[in-house]
Amino acid sequence: MNVSVKLRKYRAVSRITVKNQLMYVMDLLVRTLFLLIILYIFIQLWTATYAGTGEKVIGGYRFEELIWYLIFSESLVTAMPKLHITVEDEVKTGGIGYLLCRPVNYILYRYAEFAGEFAVRLVVNLLVGGALGLALFGVPGFGWGWLGFVPVAAAAVTLNFMIRMMLALCAFWVEEIQGLVFVYDKLLFTVGGMLLPLELFAEPFRSICRWLPFQTMIYFPVKTAVQFEAGRMLQMLGIQVVWGLVFGLLLSLVFRRGVNKLNVNGG
């Protein structure tokens, strides 16, 4: 069986997930009300900040660029599915054993679901958040940023999935993983660049953040969209590939050890 045939079943899983999500578009739109509330708070905060400093540009961002940055970053974060809840429940109840017997790779199966659900949520978030941005500032001059955002965001969500899956699989060894996921989410909010672009951090904290993987999941795709530079985008993709190899190896190791533990304990 060639690779394209093997991957066809995972594409089918993604399509089914997308269709399931589209059945509840109204629920998705209601969820975006939270996104609008967050954006409204940030708009008021940064309006006061720019007015108070009297600066037109802060950290290399004009006011409208910073708001668009927040629209993209908040849309990315709120679009992330709660993968850890599903996987943790399957591990604790033993349901993962039934899935391991199916003719699919468990990690790829969950990734196909994760990507499909994320795609629908992200599109809805960007439509709602983008409508707010258009109402405030008109059509943004992102140039190739719209196109560059797609591959960098795809790599970002893949890295995010790998880490979330590793944390979820820790349920093989620990009773509760919510604390681990909570810490990870807060790292994305801060050093990942969700709340602030990394340019607004003080040194040496800013330099430290650039050596961490969290920037690859939020800051990279948003920076590409808002302030596109082809050379920098390629550099970002290269960094994402390196971290992808690292996390891919770690995820494979954690998964194998977890499955071995399940088999040894007769799960």
Side-chain angles (χ1 to χ4, degrees):
M1 185 181 297
N2 58 45
V3 176
S4 63
V5 174
K6 290 182 179 179
L7 293 179
R8 189 179 302 164
K9 51 190 171 186
Y10 302 110
R11 290 197 295 268
V13 172
S14 289
R15 287 196 299 269
I16 293 172
T17 303
V18 168
K19 290 180 180 179
N20 288 338
Q21 289 295 310
L22 291 176
M23 293 293 293
Y24 304 97
V25 173
M26 289 306 300
D27 290 345
L28 293 174
L29 291 174
V30 170
R31 290 178 190 172
T32 58
L33 291 176
F34 179 66
L35 173 65
L36 291 177
I37 293 173
I38 295 175
L39 290 175
Y40 174 78
I41 294 172
F42 276 121
I43 288 171
Q44 299 307 308
L45 172 64
W46 284 106
T47 298
T49 301
Y50 276 84
T53 60
E55 299 288 341
K56 297 293 184 181
V57 178
I58 297 179
Y61 292 84
R62 300 189 307 276
F63 174 70
E64 59 269 25
E65 287 180 327
L66 190 55
I67 299 304
W68 275 109
Y69 180 99
L70 292 170
I71 289 173
F72 276 96
S73 66
E74 294 290 343
S75 295
L76 279 170
V77 170
T78 56
M80 293 297 171
K82 302 297 183 182
L83 172 73
H84 62 281
I85 295 177
T86 301
V87 177
E88 180 186 25
D89 182 67
E90 289 174 347
V91 172
K92 287 183 176 180
T93 61
I96 191 173
Y98 296 100
L99 290 172
L100 292 175
C101 295
R102 295 180 179 179
V104 293
N105 180 282
Y106 179 75
I107 293 178
L108 291 179
Y109 174 78
R110 285 295 169 213
Y111 176 69
E113 279 191 331
F114 186 88
E117 184 174 349
F118 170 82
V120 175
R121 289 186 176 187
L122 180 62
V123 170
V124 173
N125 286 349
L126 288 178
L127 287 174
V128 174
L132 176 61
L134 290 173
L136 291 174
F137 311 113
V139 179
F142 291 159
W144 291 99
W146 293 107
L147 185 61
F149 173 78
V150 176
V152 183
V157 72
T158 301
L159 291 170
N160 204 317
F161 166 81
M162 290 179 178
I163 295 180
R164 290 185 183 278
M165 178 59 87
M166 279 191 288
L167 294 177
L169 291 174
C170 287
F172 278 115
W173 294 276
V174 298
E175 182 68 22
E176 181 61 55
I177 66 166
Q178 295 294 334
L180 298 175
V181 176
F182 177 83
V183 172
Y184 171 67
D185 284 337
K186 297 306 172 281
L187 288 171
L188 282 184
F189 294 172
T190 53
V191 298
M194 186 202 81
L195 297 175
L196 290 173
L198 298 189
E199 290 88 349
L200 299 184
F201 291 161
E203 292 289 359
F205 187 62
R206 178 169 56 192
S207 296
I208 294 174
C209 291
R210 296 190 184 280
W211 287 97
L212 300 176
F214 307 105
Q215 62 168 343
T216 64
M217 287 164 267
I218 304 296
Y219 173 75
F220 275 14
V222 179
K223 179 71 173 182
T224 300
V226 176
Q227 294 182 343
F228 177 80
E229 291 182 19
R232 181 161 50 189
M233 185 195 76
L234 293 176
Q235 182 183 33
M236 290 177 175
L237 286 171
I239 295 173
Q240 287 177 318
V241 169
V242 172
W243 279 114
L245 294 174
V246 172
F247 290 133
L249 290 173
L250 289 175
L251 176 56
S252 178
L253 177 62
V254 171
F255 180 69
R256 287 201 305 269
R257 294 204 171 189
V259 171
N260 289 337
K261 180 179 178 63
L262 180 68
N263 291 334
V264 167
N265 291 317

